[in-house]
Amino acid sequence: MKVLGHLTAMPELPEALKGLRKLAYNLWWSWNPEAAELFQEINPQLWKRFRGNPVKLLLEVDPPRLEVLTATSYPARVQAVVAALDSYLKDRERKEGPLVAYFSAEYGFHSSLPIYSGGLGVLAGDHIKAASDLGLNLVGVGIFYHEGYFHQRLSPEGVQVEVYETLHPEELPLLPVQDQEGHPVRVGLEFPGRTVWLGAYRVQVGAVPVYLLTANLPENTPEDRAITARLYAPGLETRIQQEMVLGIGGVRLLRALGLNPQVFHMNEGHSAFLGLERIRELVAEGHPFPVALELAKAGALFTTHTPVPAGHDTFPLDLVGRYLHGFWERMGTDWEGFVALGLEEKPWGKVFSMSNLALRTSAQAGGVSRLHGEVSREMFHHLWPGLLREEVPIGHITNGVHTWTFLHPRLRRHYAEVFGPDWLRRPEDPATWKVEGLGEEFWRIHRDLRADLVREVRLRLYEQRRRNGESPSRLRQAERVLDPEALTVGFARRFATYKRAVLLFKDPERLLKLLQGPYPVQFVFAGKAHPKDEPGKAYLQELVAKIKEYGLEDRMVVLEDYDMYLARVLVHGSDVWLNTPRRPMEASGTSGMKAALNGVLNLSVLDGWWAEAYNGKNGFAIGDDRVYENEEAQDMADAQALYDVLEGEVLPLFYAKGPEGYSSGWLSMVHESLRTVGPRFSAARMVGEYLRLYRQGQVWAESARGHERVLQAFHRAFPAFYTLGLRAEAPGDLTLNGEPVQVRAYVEGEIPEALRPFLEVQLVVRRSGGGLELIPMTQGEGGRYAVSYRPSRPGSYAYGVRLALKHPITHRVEWVRWA
């Protein structure tokens, strides 16, 4: 058959069930069990087959089935859930905070919309959901990848095969973005020798709209239509094209929709080109480049997720020059000024760093855990020469997870009964987690969820082996793997080498001794390696090979095609959540937070979020906070610590069961985990902290708009700052016995009037055990400054004197000259 096109016949729902369409096109249903259960009840088999996609379900279900449902109590339930959605939206009509545009290259909202690869996307999805719950004035911007991210198939040897499927927007909860006349919105993007046209789809996530850009339009050539085909498609050229679509195209789409956000939030550096587009807009308004840069920075926020330098996108300068040719003139600068915004010096030469660009065009920046904030300040210290490491303006907001997305519905209902109604309204409030009331019923639910996990593992493993053409005996074995009553350890995450999925096999003799001991224990692994990550793929093969080599296939299972659906099954049904990154390479990690919500205990290296969550009573730590210079030594030390804690703590505690059928000591630890992790590591808490930054960005943006003359004068005078000299007079090394130290300094040179309000001479004191003091020195005549300083407590101190220049809008020290 010669195909002329494709038709989609939208379903005609019975009048009593028309509310299902409204529910299907708002992802609010995905974190409200009563809504999800309505769709599942229509046809459980289709629901699972379509990965919980209600739009596809309504397209494919037999109309007679819907008619049957109209004769039951089903329509009344539909009406009740639709009323709950309407009430939810009405309560959020009055928005909190400034209008924020949240940009992310990927979003993990639900497994039925596979435009995410892993933690970054799921975190973005949780951010949007929590912003909706909190009523924030926020819109999302991303890309609709019409082939999504790959589905993973594993050969019997553990070889990863990537399979892509075409996603049809009409079969997804997506609506084309149109103008007021009903015409599709189009924005143009200048590429070398041509214009690429972009359209968009809107996905409604509770009260928050998210706009997903697409180049898959008839107006474009087949090559350009493929730009937005696959998430993280290989090749630098495709990557820079996608990041221009997201950053520059995203800003242009917002403008076409009449949206003028006061704050732009970049979730990782993929969208950093938005800073260039905003500068171009401001220059077009008549502002000179330095002022336009400051105006753009004031309302911009950058969240970095990557503690590994190689994980930050960089492009060759010639590629940037080819794709953005002429852009710098429209920004009011030259090639050198343009490149300086993203310049990074590598051992092999100069490149354009998207993270550097994001930092140089954002007034606020942060990592995703306390430890990651420290690592990021060290990593990017070179962008603020002269500042002390702890002064580098990169903070942190530790990640959190969307409680209602990852908590099993049965536990949600049980917690609501035990904790009371306040918990449902304020899951980020520690006072609402009244965990002491959890006991036998909680454990009964947990055992059921572990049994559900075992059933799911057997079904998936059977299908995996059947598809690979394995023998009937191997298929029968798949139906018997794992024990529903044994302690079950889950390990599921991206297969990158630093996450060390094979750490358990570092000392095979110890591992076998553990598995042959008196306490039954079993492991379920899942995770994808990036298609171009050959070492990660090799790790996956090594894990499968070692499991076979030591005859552990009934106790250790590796599942394929890890996604949000499988992640939920694993965090719901495991007893222990294992995490073995090589410290300090885990920026945050969130899977352990999801597991903890469901009463699963964490067993993890003290890295990322667990470094600040672990208190000795709410889970288990692998090793300590030491970092070995030699990776092999680190791996061996961590492996031995892992065996020790499994053998000496985890297994004995779990199996110390009383007459009620569970270990009271284990349950006490679960209580402590829920009490400490549940509220603190929730997306509601996380987004609440971001709201404070959004409001700060709004203040700075408005201040910058009101002080453009000051900014212009400041930048004109700024070069003179580096012509100033600073001399200091101090006694050098000194032992104090209660008396103060006297320090004097002299500024040499002519201080421009525009810099005077922002200039400060400071005594800088650092205590050897930690702690930093910045003491302004008192100005006298003739450029003289003095201060008398006495430490507030005993100890060893280092001190120095510097000339500090504060930013005219943020009032942070950003430029210094040391005496």
Side-chain angles (χ1 to χ4, degrees), residues 596-608:
L597 276 178
N598 291 280
V600 180
L601 293 180
N602 277 274
L603 168 59
S604 176
V605 169
L606 291 169
D607 197 8

Side-chain angles (χ1 to χ4, degrees), residues 261-429:
Q262 293 156 290
V263 177
F264 287 78
H265 184 173
M266 291 171 272
N267 188 45
E268 196 52 281
H270 308 114
S271 60
F273 285 138
L274 72 82
L276 305 183
E277 175 66 5
R278 294 182 63 226
I279 294 168
R280 184 200 63 76
E281 290 179 329
L282 289 159
V283 169
E285 290 178 15
H287 303 286
F289 169 71
V291 174
L293 173 59
E294 292 297 343
L295 292 173
K297 283 176 65 173
L301 166 63
F302 170 50
T303 298
T304 175
H305 291 257
T306 311
V308 186
H312 295 263
D313 280 355
T314 60
F315 297 111
L317 295 185
D318 61 343
L319 184 66
V320 174
R322 182 156 61 88
Y323 268 89
L324 289 149
H325 182 72
F327 211 91
W328 45 91
E329 284 98 344
R330 285 180 281 162
M331 290 170 56
T333 186
D334 55 17
W335 167 248
E336 287 72 23
F338 173 84
V339 168
L341 292 173
L343 189 63
E344 179 75 29
E345 300 272 0
K346 296 287 188 181
W348 59 86
K350 297 177 179 178
V351 295
F352 194 89
S353 162
M354 296 298 284
S355 293
N356 287 4
L357 174 62
L359 287 165
R360 287 179 172 131
T361 56
S362 302
Q364 299 186 88
V368 289
S369 70
R370 184 177 62 208
L371 180 57
H372 182 229
E374 296 171 9
V375 171
S376 298
R377 286 189 286 278
E378 179 65 36
M379 181 184 298
F380 295 108
H381 192 185
H382 64 284
L383 299 184
W384 287 271
L387 264 65
L388 300 173
R389 186 187 64 188
E390 52 264 60
E391 290 183 290
V392 171
I394 300 176
H396 80 276
I397 290 179
T398 301
N399 282 344
V401 297
H402 188 243
T403 305
W404 316 122
T405 294
F406 296 100
L407 181 60
H408 192 279
R410 284 185 64 188
L411 287 174
R412 174 173 172 162
R413 288 163 179 145
H414 183 54
Y415 290 177
E417 292 171 2
V418 175
F419 300 167
D422 285 350
W423 172 76
L424 289 166
R425 291 189 290 267
R426 302 195 314 276
E428 73 279 17
D429 183 354

Side-chain angles (χ1 to χ4, degrees), residues 228-269:
T228 55
R230 296 180 178 180
L231 173 59
Y232 302 139
L236 287 173
E237 190 141 0
T238 302
R239 182 62 68 90
I240 198 172
Q241 291 172 343
Q242 288 189 344
E243 297 190 0
M244 288 176 67
V245 166
L246 177 62
I248 300 173
V251 174
R252 293 180 182 178
L253 176 71
L254 292 174
R255 302 309 187 210
L257 297 173
L259 297 173
N260 294 294
Q262 293 156 290
V263 177
F264 287 78
H265 184 173
M266 291 171 272
N267 188 45
E268 196 52 281

